[in-house]
Amino acid sequence: MSVESLGSSNSPNGAASPKAALTSEPDSPKDVEERLQEEKRIRLKVDLRLCTIAGLLCSLNLLDSGIISSASVTSMLHDLGLDQGNRYSVSILIFTVASVCFQLPATLAVRILGPRIFFACITVSFGLITLCTAFIHTWKEMILMRVLLGISMSGIYPGLALLISSWYRREELQLRFAFLQCGEVIVLATGGIVNFGLNHLHGQGGLKGWQWMFLVQGLAACVIGVATFWWMVDFPERSDQSFHFLSKEEARIATARIQRDRGDVIPAPITTKEILRHFLDLKIYGFAASFFLLNLVSTSLSYFLPIILQSGMGFSTNKSILLSAPPYYYAVIPVVLSSLVGDKYRLRGPVIVFNSLCLIAGFIMLGFADHVTVRYVGTYLATGAYISNWAALNGYLASNITGQWKRAVTAAAVTACNGLGGVAGSFIVRQPEAPRYLTAIWVSIGQVCFHFIPFCILADLWKLTYLYYWHRGCLFYFLLHCKFKAD
C-alpha cells in the first residue's frame, strides 16, 4: 500500500478516495464491534513485533552506560589513563556531544531510508565499535571510540520514538513507551549481571575483565543488528512490506485507525522550510527543557551508580557491579503501573509530579541517610522514578505533537537536549565528594523542584479544573434528582 494511493484525493471513476476511506466508519453496531475486535488483534500483533525489538534496540542506549560504568570500577581507568583529571567524565561528555550533533539528520533518515535498513545498519555499527573498544590501549583511543559510538547511536532513541508514536493512538502511547523502557532497563540490569560474570574472566585469553565486557556485548549487538533487518517493522502505511508481518488488508485497518485519531498518517512532502517552521512551536522547547533536566539525573545514576556503590557505600568491585542491577529490575514495576494510570485517565502531568516526588525522596535517602541499606534503597526509588518519567514524558510529548515531520523534528530536538543533559550530568558526580556526592544530590533535587513539578501542574491545570467542575456538576445533578424524587 503506497503513500501515493493513500494520499490521492479522487479516484478516476469518481469513487471515494482511499484517504476518505481511511476515516470512514461502519454504521452497523455489529460492524463496529467486529472492527474494534480486528483492530485489537492487529494492535497485539504490533505490540509483540514492534515493542519487543524496539525495547531491545533502545537498550543499546543504556547498554553502553552499563558497560562503561561497570568497567570503571575495574582496572580500565588505570589501564587507559582515564583516572587522571576529568578524562573519564570527558569520555562520557564527548559521546553525548557527537550524538547530539547527528540527532536531527539521523531521525529524518529513519523516514527516508525506512526503519529496517536504518536500525539494522546503526545497530551493527554500534556492535563493531563496542567490540573494537576491547582492544584500545590509551585514553585518546577511548575518546575516538566514544565519538564514533555517539554518531552511530544518535538516531536510535528519537527514531524509535518516532516509529512508535506513528503506530498507536494517543491514549495508548505511554504504556508502549513503558514497554520500551522495560526492555531497556531489563537488558541493562541483566548486562550488569553479565558484566559481573565477565569480570571473572580477567586474565583469560590475555584479556582483562573490562575487555571481555566490551568484546562479548559488542558481538551480541552485531547479531541483534543482523536480526533487526527482518524483525523490525516499517511505518503503518508501508507495513505490508515488512517481513512476515501484516497483510495489505491489516495494514489498511492499522492505517485507518491512526488516521481517525490524529489524521497525520500520510507525511507531507519534505522541504527545508517545512522542517524549520516546526521550530517556531514553543511546546518543543518546553519538552526539550524537561528532557534535558531528566537526563541530568539519568546520567548521574546510570554512568556512576557502580562508582557510588563502591566509593560511596564501601562495596567491593564485584559487589558494586552486581548490586547496580536490582534497582533497574525494580523500575519495571513503577513504570508499568504509572503508565497504566496515565493512559487510562489520560493524565500525564500528575503522574510526572508523583514520580518527581519519589525521585526527591530517593535522592534524600541516598544523600543524607547514614545507614548503607537506607541509601541503597534510595537508589531504587530514584531509579524507578526517573525511568517512569521517561515513559510519561514521551507519552505527554507524543499526545501533543501531530504531523509526521513535526514529530520527527520534535523527537530530534528533544533527544538532542536530552543528550546535552547527559553532558551536564557527567560532571555533577564528583569523586572528591565521596561518599555523599552532595553536588549531584542537590542538583538532582533542585531540577525536580524548580522545573518538573510547576511545569506539569500548570500543563494539566486546565484538565484538573475541568474535572473539578465536572464533579461539582454531577453532584448538583444528583442532589437535584433526589429532591425531585422526594417531592
Side-chain angles (χ1 to χ4, degrees):
M1 179 171 53
S2 67
V3 175
E4 288 78 9
S5 67
L6 290 175
S8 60
S9 59
N10 294 294
S11 59
N13 58 7
S17 68
K19 186 173 181 178
L22 287 177
T23 57
S24 62
E25 301 215 13
D27 296 325
S28 168
K30 183 178 179 181
D31 289 341
V32 172
E33 180 65 26
E34 289 177 355
R35 174 175 62 80
L36 292 176
Q37 289 298 323
E38 181 67 9
E39 287 181 354
K40 185 177 180 181
R41 185 186 66 81
I42 293 173
R43 187 182 65 190
L44 178 61
K45 202 171 182 179
V46 175
D47 285 342
L48 294 175
R49 183 74 174 265
L50 175 58
C51 291
T52 49
I53 184 60
L56 198 56
L57 293 184
C58 193
S59 68
L60 298 182
N61 272 334
L62 285 181
L63 182 64
D64 167 69
S65 64
I67 298 173
I68 195 170
S69 63
S70 295
S72 67
V73 294
T74 66
S75 63
M76 183 190 74
L77 298 185
H78 176 73
D79 295 341
L80 301 180
L82 289 169
D83 55 348
Q84 300 179 27
N86 288 327
R87 288 177 181 176
Y88 178 63
S89 293
V90 170
S91 68
I92 297 172
L93 176 150
I94 201 68
F95 163 85
T96 306
V97 171
S99 179
V100 167
C101 292
F102 285 84
Q103 218 96 75
L104 181 58
T107 308
L108 297 178
V110 179
R111 254 293 172 190
I112 297 169
L113 298 177
R116 296 175 65 199
I117 296 175
F118 178 81
F119 287 116
C121 289
I122 63 174
T123 305
V124 171
S125 299
F126 168 84
L128 290 174
I129 295 168
T130 302
L131 189 154
C132 291
T133 306
F135 302 102
I136 61 176
H137 299 93
T138 68
W139 69 273
K140 293 180 180 179
E141 292 172 344
M142 171 62 91
I143 296 297
L144 176 61
M145 290 294 104
R146 300 294 293 170
V147 170
L148 295 176
L149 201 64
I151 295 172
S152 69
M153 292 180 63
S154 59
I156 290 182
Y157 197 86
L160 289 172
L162 173 63
L163 182 60
I164 287 180
S165 64
S166 299
W167 268 103
Y168 293 98
R169 295 169 62 89
R170 282 172 286 187
E171 68 270 17
E172 301 166 348
L173 281 169
Q174 186 173 338
L175 184 59
R176 271 67 197 182
F177 281 117
F179 292 157
L180 197 71
Q181 295 301 131
C182 287
E184 189 175 20
V185 297
I186 287 173
V187 170
L188 173 65
T190 305
I193 297 173
V194 170
N195 288 332
F196 170 77
L198 292 174
N199 195 45
H200 283 81
L201 295 178
H202 184 83
Q204 299 294 320
L207 299 177
K208 298 183 179 180
W210 65 267
Q211 291 176 301
W212 279 108
M213 295 179 195
F214 284 102
L215 177 63
V216 171
Q217 293 177 73
L219 284 172
C222 289
V223 173
I224 293 171
V226 173
T228 297
F229 182 76
W230 289 277
W231 194 349
M232 179 56 70
V233 303
D234 214 317
F235 287 94
E237 72 276 10
R238 300 197 300 263
S239 56
D240 59 305
Q241 301 172 16
S242 302
F243 184 73
H244 285 299
F245 186 40
L246 299 183
S247 65
K248 288 187 177 182
E249 177 61 19
E250 289 174 327
R252 186 195 66 78
I253 294 172
T255 305
R257 177 174 174 271
I258 304 304
Q259 185 72 12
R260 285 193 301 271
D261 180 54
R262 55 179 178 265
D264 65 351
V265 168
I266 306 161
I270 182 173
T271 63
T272 303
K273 182 179 179 181
E274 178 71 12
I275 296 299
L276 295 177
R277 182 177 64 85
H278 296 313
F279 285 101
L280 298 176
D281 190 343
L282 295 179
K283 290 197 297 290
I284 293 179
Y285 301 98
F287 284 117
S290 297
F291 276 90
F292 171 88
L293 292 171
L294 183 59
N295 202 33
L296 192 72
V297 178
S298 169
T299 301
S300 64
L301 277 176
S302 62
Y303 278 99
F304 293 94
L305 183 55
I307 293 177
I308 293 172
L309 291 171
Q310 184 185 54
S311 302
M313 301 186 194
F315 293 106
S316 66
T317 295
N318 284 325
K319 284 185 177 179
S320 297
I321 296 173
L322 193 61
L323 289 174
S324 64
Y328 291 101
Y329 284 121
Y330 157 78
V332 173
I333 300 172
V335 72
V336 171
L337 291 179
S338 63
S339 297
L340 286 171
V341 172
D343 277 350
K344 182 176 181 180
Y345 297 103
R346 301 189 184 186
L347 285 174
R348 311 298 182 193
V351 172
I352 295 174
V353 170
F354 175 77
N355 290 332
S356 299
L357 293 175
C358 292
L359 189 63
I360 292 173
F363 272 106
I364 289 174
M365 294 169 67
L366 179 60
F368 303 108
D370 294 323
H371 202 285
V372 171
T373 303
V374 177
R375 298 185 68 200
Y376 184 56
V377 170
T379 65
Y380 279 73
L381 279 178
T383 303
Y386 89 73
I387 290 175
S388 297
N389 265 351
W390 278 120
L393 268 177
N394 274 293
Y396 208 165
L397 171 66
S399 297
N400 287 277
I401 302 294
T402 58
Q404 293 282 354
W405 296 117
K406 187 172 184 179
R407 282 208 306 276
V409 168
T410 304
V414 162
T415 310
C417 289
N418 171 71
L420 293 174
V423 173
S426 64
F427 285 97
I428 64 173
V429 179
R430 304 170 64 186
Q431 283 289 359
E433 295 183 350
R436 295 293 179 180
Y437 301 101
L438 291 180
T439 298
I441 297 298
W442 281 116
V443 169
S444 300
I445 293 174
Q447 63 88 6
V448 174
C449 292
F450 292 111
H451 181 79
F452 269 112
I453 294 177
F455 171 78
C456 294
I457 288 176
L458 290 174
D460 267 359
L461 186 60
W462 68 270
K463 188 175 288 188
L464 295 174
T465 304
Y466 169 80
L467 289 174
Y468 169 73
Y469 282 107
W470 182 81
H471 281 97
R472 283 192 63 181
C474 290
L475 179 61
F476 175 76
Y477 175 80
F478 173 75
L479 294 174
L480 194 65
H481 176 73
C482 290
K483 182 178 184 302
F484 277 112
K485 192 172 181 180
D487 292 342

